[in-house]
């Protein structure tokens, strides 16, 4: 039977609304739980963070899968060939520049770091050089490749700007075209060679080890028996070394590129007047852009461009053999605009000293007088910068805070709900932080490197201001990293918006060109503009933007682009480049690898940090800056493992932090706890206005900070462990003060939130016997009143006023260790050895005394004869020796010097027996106490104690057999008259 049921539409709505309310309730409940978790964890202004080791990383840079041949499809084969050839060369130049920065700069810059000073004696210098030899060979191959690429670029430009070239079918007229993008890449490539030259020439250790390695190879070829190699086998190595020395080690890489022959393959480059004028126009225009770069704010990386334009100017003067005074004047103004150019690390480049050696025609304008004037300008600039850097640090701090607040406010609006104005604001904010980071980094590099280059000391205030700038720089990086989701959500929209701005200008220009009468030149312009539109219609990859710039250079002729359009395009393309490479550029702009070369400022920073405790969370930013040094140190190749250099740097930085921050915090906390605990005593008055009380709570409440991604440092845990060790050790030494340390423990918990583990030391023991601590405190009394049984390992009291004698056995020692803890073993052993050191001084003085030594020398021959015949020393001689010693004088108790010396030996033997007994008691007590017992290698030997007592060589040698003297049972049991015989058989007498 079938039943028809009619469903009401309202019932569906009711059920759907009910389920939606349930879902909303679940979401709200989950949000409340997340907020509770966040509150329980406790928000912190700067939690530990490390962008390099984050578990999730967003790579937002666009990439290209299409080949450049398929990209360049302008509809005109000639235009396609020109754009494709120039774009491919620019792309190869970019790859060569990246290769130098990644694989050549770090190993050559770091060479010599971590190498021992006696490397030549141990052969470490040759081993280090052999490890870096593949890098040097790679640098030589890199130079040869650059030679061919530069020659190819000049041949391509010569073919375009040929003086006899007429306009005909199948060619492109470039008489009014300026390919600035080509010359920018060419200058950047030659700038890498200048950097390599400066790095190699400034590394004195590299040249020293190179000479030692060459000498070793020559020796190996001439001494086949020793090295097992003949000259024929070493000939390839000699050839490689000769190539590296001629290409790399002499620092002439840039000169070799400039002075290579270019008039080959039927092309005349050096006498091409059109190309000469074109290059001069581009160089002057490039210099003008750099001089105005600070005003528009979109040219961030100015220093590499200064090197590039200077290298291009020197290259122009050499190959064309010209002398342009206006060019020298323009470069001089540019050098004053950028007084410090940092190539890499701490290598500073002073162009006016470099130009005369490479381009003599241009160097005539940079004579000694000009060089001194620029040096004076740099010195005055540094003095002015040093005076204003504190104010600059405060201004930068306010700018960074304001920018971060604006970025936080802009991130609250979702990208799907933004209009063009919002996109423009967000794009400006994202790029503003990058521009600010570049300016801050330039200030830091300028101040640090100019002080080193000019040899001027840096003041404390200047060093602290530089550290504050470094903190601001890492705060910018942290802000970008914190807004990673915002970047991932906004960058595509920002790139699309900037692309639309550029595309609108291109479309307007295209309509204006197409509306006029078309000729061959305007058709080439239209084809280039079509290619620009094709590149803008896809993702903003490096290849597409490169092709677009070359095509725009080809389209900028016959006044197709107006002046206002050109300026708008320059800014738009620059902003587009920054947006497409935002992550990489932020990482580069905020990198603080320079701190590795200027670690001298870290103690000043940490001392001031611990003294003021102002904005304690900023130490996270400084340690993040130190983390950047690890990235540089990983490129080290002259050590067996790059981790060795990182480990040494980590040890150095941790030593600064431990000594200047953590240890001082421990001392201050302990002092404050002691003063507060003993406030009932008559202490000096503490005036808070004269000596204000320091609140260390912010430092102790600071989240653990990470040092070089491997060491986690917690100030709170460090202070807690220090207090635990101190309270335990002092309670063991003075058990009667246990109440005081418990009060200090409770005060630390209530005042500083420091929780230490109780020592749990027992207050007494039921077993009777002498306590180890009492013996240790009165060791000088113990060795006089107790006798040592060497066979059964126990001490017995020599005499007593009571009817019983006290004994000290292994059982008593074990009970004392159980009472006070295993920590007393080390203390007892150390204290006893200090007592022995004083006894050995007396021992040395007695044996070295001339009166004792002279009497022993009389019996030396008799002793040798008795030893040869295996007979005992004559009794009559021993008795005579004792009578002679007694003539020297006796004590009020009737003891001679020999009797006192025998007592001294007994005291030494008792002390050594006490040490053995303590060690045995520790092993007998428990296995846990065994780890507190010092090894024989850890405690000083008797010979070391004698050496510390400044003994003579004779007594030093005698001390080697002193254990036999102390362990010699006859020393105690024999009569006093046989004591000289015992000494003789023990080895002491043989040295007199």
């Amino acid at each position: 039977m079938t039943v028809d049921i009619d469903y009401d539409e309202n019932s569906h709505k009711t059920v759907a609304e009910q389920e939606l309310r349930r879902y909303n309730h679940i979401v709200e409940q989950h949000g409340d739980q997340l907020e509770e978790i966040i509150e329980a964890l406790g928000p912190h202004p700067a939690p530990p963070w490390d962008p390099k080791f984050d578990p999730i990383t967003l790579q937002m840079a666009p990439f290209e899968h299409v080949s450049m041949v398929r990209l360049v499809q302008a509809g005109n084969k000639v235009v396609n060939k020109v754009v494709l050839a120039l774009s491919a060369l620019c792309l190869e130049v970019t790859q060569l520049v990246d290769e130098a920065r990644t694989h050549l700069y770090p190993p050559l810059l770091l060479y010599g770091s971590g190498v021992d000073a006696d490397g030549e004696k141990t052969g470490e210098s040759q081993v280090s050089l052999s490890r870096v030899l593949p890098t040097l060979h790679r640098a030589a191959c890199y130079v040869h490749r650059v030679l061919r690429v530069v020659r190819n670029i000049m041949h391509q430009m010569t073919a375009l700007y040929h003086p006899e070239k007429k306009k005909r079918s199948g060619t492109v007229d470039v008489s009014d075209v300026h390919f600035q993008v080509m010359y920018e890449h060419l200058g950047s490539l030659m700038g890498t060679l200048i950097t390599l030259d400066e790095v190699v020439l400034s590394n004195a250790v590299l040249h020293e080890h190179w000479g030692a390695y060459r000498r070793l190879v020559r020796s190996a070829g001439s001494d086949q028996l020793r090295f097992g190699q003949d000259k024929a086998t070493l000939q390839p190595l000699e050839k490689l070394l000769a190539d590296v020395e001629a290409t790399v080690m002499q620092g002439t890489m840039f000169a070799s590129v400039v002075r290579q022959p270019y008039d080959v393959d039927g092309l005349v480059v050096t006498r091409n007047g059109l190309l000469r004028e074109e290059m001069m126009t581009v160089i002057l225009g490039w210099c003008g852009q750099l001089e105005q770069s600070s005003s528009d704010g979109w040219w961030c990386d100015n220093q590499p461009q200064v090197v590039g334009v200077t290298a291009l100017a020197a290259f122009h003067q050499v190959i064309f053999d010209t002398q342009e005074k206006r060019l020298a004047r323009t470069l001089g103004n540019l050098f004053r605009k950028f007084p410090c150019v940092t190539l890499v690390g701490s290598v500073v480049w002073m162009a006016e000293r470099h130009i005369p050696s490479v381009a003599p025609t241009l160097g005539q304008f940079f004579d000694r007088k000009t060089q001194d004037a620029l040096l004076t300008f740099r010195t005055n600039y540094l003095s002015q910068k040093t005076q204003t850097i504190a104010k600059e640090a405060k201004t930068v701090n306010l700018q960074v805070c304001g920018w971060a607040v604006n970025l936080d406010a802009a991130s609250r609006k979702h990208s799907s709900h933004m209009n063009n104005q919002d996109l423009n604001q967000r794009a400006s904010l994202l790029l503003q932080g990058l521009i600010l980071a570049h300016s801050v980094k330039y200030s830091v590099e300028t101040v640090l490197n100019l002080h080193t280059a000019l040899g001027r000391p840096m003041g404390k205030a200047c060093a602290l201001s530089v550290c504050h700038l470094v903190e601001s720089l890492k705060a910018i990086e942290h802000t970008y990293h914190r807004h990673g989701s915002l970047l991932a959500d906004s960058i595509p929209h920002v790139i699309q918006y900037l692309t639309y701005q550029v595309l609108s200008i291109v479309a307007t220009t295209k309509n204006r060109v197409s509306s006029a009468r078309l000729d061959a030149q305007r058709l080439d312009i239209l084809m280039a503009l079509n290619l620009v539109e094709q590149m803008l219609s896809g993702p903003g990859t490096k290849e597409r933007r490169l092709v677009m710039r070359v095509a725009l250079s080809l389209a900028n002729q016959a006044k197709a682009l107006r002046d206002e359009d050109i300026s708008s395009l320059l800014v738009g393309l620059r902003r587009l480049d920054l947006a497409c490479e935002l992550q990489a550029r932020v990482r580069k702009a905020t990198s603080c690898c320079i701190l590795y070369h200027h670690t001298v400022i870290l103690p000043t920073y940490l001392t001031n940090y611990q003294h003021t405790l102002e904005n304690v969370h900023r130490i996270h930013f400084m340690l993040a800056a130190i983390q950047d040094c690890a990235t540089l140190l990983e490129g080290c190749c002259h050590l067996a493992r790059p981790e060795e250099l990182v480990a040494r740097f980590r040890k150095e930085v941790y030593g600064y932090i431990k000594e200047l921050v953590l240890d001082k915090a421990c001392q201050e906390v302990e002092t404050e706890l002691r003063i507060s605990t003993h406030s009932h005593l008559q202490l000096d008055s503490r005036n808070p206005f004269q000596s204000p009380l320091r609140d260390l709570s912010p430092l102790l409440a600071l989240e653990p900070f990470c040092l070089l991604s491997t060491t986690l440092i917690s100030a709170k845990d460090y202070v807690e462990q220090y207090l635990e060790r101190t309270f335990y050790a002092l309670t063991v030494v003075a058990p009667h003060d246990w109440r005081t340390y418990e009060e200090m423990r409770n005060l630390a918990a209530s005042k500083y939130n420091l929780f230490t583990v109780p020592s749990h030391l027992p207050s007494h023991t039921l077993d009777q016997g002498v306590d180890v601590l009492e013996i240790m405190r009165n060791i000088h009394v113990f060795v006089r009143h107790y006798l040592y049984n060497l066979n059964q390992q126990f001490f017995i009291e020599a005499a007593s006023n009571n009817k019983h004698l006290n004994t000290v056995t292994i059982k008593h020692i074990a009970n004392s260790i159980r009472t006070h803890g295993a920590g007393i073993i080390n203390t007892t052993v150390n204290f006893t050895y200090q007592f022995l050191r004083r006894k050995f001084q007396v021992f040395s003085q007695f044996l070295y005394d001339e009166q004792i030594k002279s009497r022993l020398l009389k019996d030396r021959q008799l002793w040798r004869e008795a030893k040869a015949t295996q007979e005992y020393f004559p009794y009559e001689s021993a008795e005579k020796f004792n009578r002679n010693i007694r003539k020297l004088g006796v004590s009020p108790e009737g003891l001679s010097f020999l009797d006192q010396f025998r007592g001294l030996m007994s005291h030494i033997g008792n002390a050594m027996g006490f040490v053995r007994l303590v060690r045995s008691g520790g092993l007998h007590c428990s296995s846990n106490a065994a780890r507190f017992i010092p090894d024989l290698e850890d405690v000083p030997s008797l010979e070391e104690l004698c050496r510390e007592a400044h003994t003579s060589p004779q007594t030093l040698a005698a001390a080697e057999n002193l254990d036999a003297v102390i362990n010699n049972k006859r020393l105690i049991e024999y009569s006093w008259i046989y004591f000289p015989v015992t000494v003789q058989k023990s080895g002491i007498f043989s040295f007199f």
Side-chain angles (χ1 to χ4, degrees):
M1 183 175 64
T2 303
V3 179
D4 295 334
I5 303 176
D6 295 333
Y7 291 97
D8 189 4
E9 295 182 358
N10 294 329
S11 62
H12 287 279
K13 294 181 179 180
T14 303
V15 174
E17 291 176 357
Q18 183 178 0
E19 292 297 325
L20 185 60
R21 285 193 296 270
R22 289 180 56 194
Y23 179 73
N24 290 337
H25 177 70
I26 293 174
V27 173
E28 292 177 357
Q29 185 178 4
H30 180 67
D32 295 338
Q33 291 178 355
L34 289 179
E35 291 181 358
E36 292 177 359
I37 293 174
I38 293 175
E39 292 179 358
L41 292 177
H44 196 270
W49 60 281
D50 193 345
K52 183 178 178 181
F53 295 95
D54 277 349
I56 299 176
T57 303
L58 299 176
Q59 296 293 340
M60 292 169 283
F63 53 91
E64 189 70 60
H65 288 299
V66 182
S67 64
M68 188 171 289
V69 178
R70 296 181 59 187
L71 280 178
V72 182
Q73 299 294 333
N76 188 322
K77 293 183 179 181
V78 179
V79 174
N80 289 346
K81 289 181 180 179
V82 173
V83 175
L84 181 59
L86 300 183
S87 301
L89 286 173
C90 291
L91 184 61
E92 185 169 3
V93 167
T94 303
Q95 294 173 354
L96 288 173
V97 172
D98 292 339
E99 179 184 355
R101 292 175 178 173
T102 306
H103 301 289
L104 297 181
Y105 291 171
L108 297 179
L109 183 66
L110 294 173
Y111 186 85
S113 301
V115 177
D116 296 334
D118 57 345
E120 292 191 12
K121 298 179 181 180
T122 61
E124 185 65 25
S125 60
Q126 290 85 352
V127 175
S128 300
L129 200 282
S130 64
R131 296 192 184 109
V132 82
L133 189 58
T135 302
L136 294 174
H137 177 60
R138 182 172 185 171
C141 297
Y142 177 84
V143 174
H144 295 321
R145 178 60 182 166
V146 171
L147 288 172
R148 294 193 294 269
V149 172
V150 173
R151 187 188 305 120
N152 191 1
I153 292 176
M154 295 307 298
H155 287 176
Q156 295 290 345
M157 301 309 294
T158 301
L160 287 174
Y161 293 94
H162 199 280
E164 299 178 357
K165 188 174 181 181
K166 304 295 183 182
K167 181 63 181 176
R168 61 183 184 272
S169 59
T171 61
V172 177
D173 185 12
V174 295
S175 58
D176 196 24
V177 178
H178 306 291
F179 290 101
Q180 183 174 349
V181 60
M182 288 297 303
Y183 298 108
E184 288 180 1
H185 283 77
L186 180 60
S188 176
L189 181 59
M190 290 189 292
T192 60
L193 297 181
I194 291 177
T195 304
L196 287 174
D197 285 337
E198 293 296 325
V199 169
V200 171
L201 292 175
S202 62
N203 197 329
V205 179
L206 178 61
H207 288 275
E208 181 182 354
H209 290 184
W210 175 263
Y213 189 80
R214 290 301 304 271
R215 291 191 297 270
L216 176 65
V217 174
R218 296 192 188 99
S219 301
S222 60
D223 193 352
Q224 182 179 359
L225 297 177
R226 180 181 179 185
F227 294 94
Q229 301 290 336
D230 55 0
K231 291 185 178 180
T233 307
L234 295 175
Q235 186 175 3
L237 179 59
E238 285 280 2
K239 184 178 179 181
L240 185 146
L241 294 177
D243 183 26
V244 170
E245 185 170 8
T247 308
V248 179
M249 296 303 299
Q250 294 181 1
T252 58
M253 288 175 273
F254 175 66
S256 62
V257 173
V258 171
R259 296 168 184 170
Q260 69 169 328
Y262 288 95
D263 295 342
V264 293
D265 300 333
L267 293 174
V268 179
V269 178
T270 57
R271 294 190 299 272
N272 192 332
L274 292 178
L275 182 59
R276 182 183 68 245
E277 294 299 327
E278 171 63 20
M279 286 187 65
M280 179 59 63
T281 302
V282 171
I283 292 172
L284 294 177
W286 195 0
C287 292
Q289 288 179 351
L290 288 175
E291 290 183 8
Q292 299 175 0
S293 60
S294 59
S295 59
D296 54 30
W298 297 112
W299 295 84
C300 299
D301 47 351
N302 291 319
Q303 297 186 79
Q305 295 195 50
V306 172
V307 180
V309 72
T310 306
L312 194 62
F315 177 70
H316 176 273
Q317 298 294 297
V318 172
I319 64 172
F320 294 113
D321 193 16
T322 60
Q323 189 175 11
E324 295 286 344
K325 188 173 182 180
R326 56 173 179 169
L327 181 58
R329 184 170 55 253
T330 303
L331 290 178
N333 296 332
L334 189 63
F335 298 157
R336 288 181 173 85
K337 180 76 173 180
F338 301 96
C340 178
V341 177
T342 300
L343 298 177
V344 58
S346 60
V347 180
V348 178
W349 185 60
M350 297 183 181
E352 71 278 3
R353 300 180 182 178
H354 180 78
I355 291 177
S357 61
V358 180
T361 55
L362 184 60
Q364 294 178 3
F365 301 102
F366 294 96
D367 53 3
R368 188 65 180 177
K369 182 178 179 181
T370 305
Q371 294 180 13
D372 294 340
L374 287 174
L375 181 61
T376 304
F377 174 77
R378 289 191 179 94
T379 305
N380 297 334
Y381 175 83
L382 180 60
S383 301
Q384 182 181 2
K385 192 74 173 178
T386 304
Q387 295 174 2
T388 60
I389 192 171
K391 183 178 180 181
E392 180 183 353
K394 295 180 181 179
T395 304
V396 167
N397 187 23
L398 293 177
Q399 292 176 351
V400 171
C401 293
W403 167 75
V405 170
N406 293 332
L407 190 62
D408 289 338
S411 63
R412 297 177 183 178
K413 191 172 185 179
H414 197 269
S415 300
S416 59
H417 302 292
M418 292 191 301
N419 51 27
N420 290 340
Q421 183 179 0
D422 296 332
L423 280 174
N424 189 20
Q425 179 188 7
R426 183 167 291 188
S428 300
L429 286 174
L430 292 178
L431 302 181
Q432 181 184 355
L434 180 59
I435 299 169
L436 185 60
H438 272 285
S439 63
V440 174
K441 184 177 182 181
Y442 179 74
S443 298
V444 172
E445 291 180 344
T446 299
V447 174
L448 291 179
N449 289 337
L450 274 185
H451 275 92
T452 303
L454 300 179
R456 300 190 60 183
M458 183 185 299
K460 178 181 177 181
C462 181
L464 294 177
S465 300
V466 170
C467 293
H468 293 332
L469 288 176
V470 171
E471 293 173 349
S472 300
L473 196 62
K474 303 310 292 185
I476 294 174
E477 182 185 12
H478 174 52
T479 304
Y480 277 110
H481 178 261
R482 185 162 49 90
H483 290 285
S485 59
L486 171 66
L487 295 179
D489 181 51
S490 302
I491 286 297
H493 299 280
V494 171
I495 293 176
Q496 186 177 7
Y497 172 71
L498 297 176
T499 303
Y500 164 74
Q501 289 182 338
V502 177
L503 194 59
S504 61
I505 300 174
V506 173
T508 303
T509 304
K510 181 180 177 181
N511 293 333
R512 186 171 57 253
V513 172
S514 60
S515 61
R517 185 177 62 86
L518 295 179
D519 53 6
Q521 187 179 24
R522 291 188 178 274
L523 284 176
D524 293 342
I525 295 174
L526 284 177
M527 293 301 100
L529 292 176
N530 287 333
L531 187 58
V532 173
E533 288 182 342
Q534 293 178 15
M535 297 301 102
L536 290 174
S537 62
T541 60
K542 178 173 55 178
E543 294 80 4
R544 288 178 179 270
R545 288 183 282 111
L546 191 56
V547 172
M548 179 180 59
R549 289 197 62 189
V550 175
L552 277 176
S553 299
L554 189 60
N556 186 21
Q557 56 179 317
K559 297 183 179 180
L561 292 172
R562 300 173 181 176
D563 294 339
E564 59 271 14
D565 294 338
I566 294 176
S567 60
S568 300
L569 276 176
L570 286 176
V571 175
L573 292 177
R574 187 62 178 172
R575 297 180 70 183
L576 183 61
D577 290 341
L578 296 180
C580 294
E581 302 174 358
L582 185 62
Q583 272 188 309
R585 288 182 176 271
V586 168
R587 193 179 303 114
K588 180 181 177 182
T590 57
S591 177
C592 296
C593 301
I594 192 176
L595 288 182
Y596 177 73
H597 307 282
H598 301 279
T599 53
V600 67
I601 66 175
L602 289 180
T604 303
Y605 169 79
L606 293 174
T607 301
N608 180 77
Y609 173 81
Q610 199 278 337
H611 181 70
T612 60
L613 293 180
E614 182 181 359
N615 298 322
V616 292
H617 65 278
R618 289 188 177 180
I619 194 173
H620 289 285
F621 297 132
M622 181 57 69
L623 294 181
I626 294 174
Q627 171 62 40
D628 294 337
C629 301
T631 307
L632 173 66
L633 299 182
E634 290 174 357
C636 164
C637 64
H638 63 279
L639 298 177
R641 295 182 298 108
E643 295 79 8
E644 296 179 6
L645 194 57
V646 179
R648 293 183 183 184
F649 182 62
R650 182 188 304 111
K651 182 179 180 181
E652 179 185 1
V653 177
Y654 179 74
Y656 291 148
I657 297 176
K658 179 178 179 297
E659 178 183 358
L660 302 175
V661 178
L662 299 178
D663 290 345
K664 289 188 176 181
C666 293
Q667 295 172 5
E668 290 190 15
V669 169
E670 183 184 3
T671 302
E672 182 64 26
L673 293 177
R674 289 186 181 278
I675 292 177
S676 300
T677 305
H678 298 85
S679 58
H680 59 283
L681 302 177
Q682 293 182 358
L683 303 176
D684 296 337
S685 59
R686 303 177 64 192
N687 190 343
F689 297 99
Q690 296 180 356
S691 57
L693 302 179
R694 284 168 43 82
D695 186 13
L696 297 175
S697 300
L699 177 61
L700 300 177
L702 187 66
E703 291 291 329
F705 38 88
C706 189
L707 177 61
L708 295 175
S709 302
T710 56
T711 305
L712 197 64
I713 303 175
S714 174
K716 181 175 181 294
D717 294 344
Y718 188 90
V719 176
E720 287 179 347
Q721 294 175 7
Y722 171 81
L723 293 179
E724 288 175 3
R725 293 193 304 268
T726 303
F727 293 162
Y728 179 86
L730 295 179
T731 305
V732 167
V733 176
H736 54 280
D737 290 336
W738 67 271
R739 189 182 301 276
T740 301
Y741 297 113
E742 287 298 324
E743 292 179 2
M744 294 173 61
R745 196 189 306 275
N746 297 332
L747 185 60
S750 61
K751 187 173 184 179
Y752 295 109
N753 201 28
L754 298 174
F755 299 96
T756 58
V757 178
S759 57
H760 297 293
L761 292 175
S763 58
H764 62 279
T765 178
L766 296 177
D767 192 9
Q768 295 180 356
V770 182
D771 195 4
V772 172
L773 292 181
E774 294 296 330
I775 298 176
M776 180 187 68
R777 294 191 188 100
N778 303 283
I779 186 68
H780 59 287
V781 179
F782 176 77
V783 296
R784 290 200 306 266
H785 293 82
Y786 279 78
L787 302 177
Y788 181 43
N789 190 321
L790 186 63
N791 294 330
Q792 299 181 1
Q793 292 289 315
F794 71 90
F795 284 92
I796 185 170
E797 195 174 9
S800 175
N801 296 327
N802 301 323
K803 295 182 179 180
H804 65 276
L805 298 176
N806 293 325
T807 60
V808 179
T809 63
I810 296 178
K811 184 178 180 182
H812 295 123
I813 301 296
N815 289 333
S816 297
I817 294 175
R818 294 189 186 97
T819 302
H820 302 290
I824 66 172
I825 299 177
N826 266 324
T827 305
T828 303
V829 172
N830 293 334
F831 192 86
T832 306
Y833 269 90
Q834 293 175 6
F835 171 76
L836 284 172
R837 184 181 292 111
R838 296 191 299 268
K839 291 297 181 179
F840 276 123
Q841 291 179 354
V842 181
F843 169 81
S844 173
Q845 293 173 1
F846 178 80
L847 290 181
Y848 199 67
D849 185 81
E850 291 296 335
Q851 296 179 350
I852 303 297
K853 181 179 179 181
S854 61
R855 284 166 172 77
L856 289 174
L857 287 174
K858 293 180 181 180
D859 297 335
R860 180 175 58 180
Q861 184 63 31
L862 185 62
W863 157 247
R864 289 178 179 178
E865 294 176 357
K867 183 179 180 181
T869 57
Q870 296 184 354
E871 295 180 358
Y872 289 103
F873 190 82
Y875 177 86
E876 294 79 6
S877 298
E879 186 177 10
K880 181 179 179 181
F881 174 79
N882 289 334
R883 287 197 302 268
N884 292 334
I885 294 297
R886 181 172 286 276
K887 292 178 181 179
L888 297 177
V890 294
S891 66
E893 293 82 7
L895 299 178
S896 65
F897 290 112
L898 187 61
D899 298 331
Q900 298 178 26
F901 182 71
R902 187 184 66 226
L904 174 67
M905 298 293 293
S906 301
H907 297 168
I908 294 176
N910 290 342
M912 294 299 298
F914 178 64
V915 172
R916 296 189 186 94
L917 198 65
V918 170
R919 289 172 51 84
S920 302
L923 295 173
H924 178 77
C925 179
S926 65
S927 59
N928 185 33
R931 63 188 181 95
F932 290 92
I933 300 175
D935 296 332
L936 291 177
E937 299 178 356
D938 297 335
V939 297
S941 62
L942 296 176
E943 182 180 356
E944 293 174 354
L945 291 176
C946 286
R947 184 176 292 109
E948 293 179 2
H950 302 287
T951 59
S952 62
Q954 293 87 350
T955 52
L956 272 177
E960 296 178 357
N961 296 327
L962 190 57
D963 277 332
V965 177
I966 296 174
N967 294 328
N968 198 334
K969 182 179 178 182
R970 290 174 297 176
L971 183 62
I972 300 176
E973 296 179 350
Y974 282 7
S975 173
W976 62 271
I977 200 171
Y978 291 104
F979 178 75
V981 180
T982 305
V983 174
Q984 294 168 10
K985 290 188 177 182
S986 302
I988 296 179
F989 186 81
S990 61
F991 291 94
F992 293 87

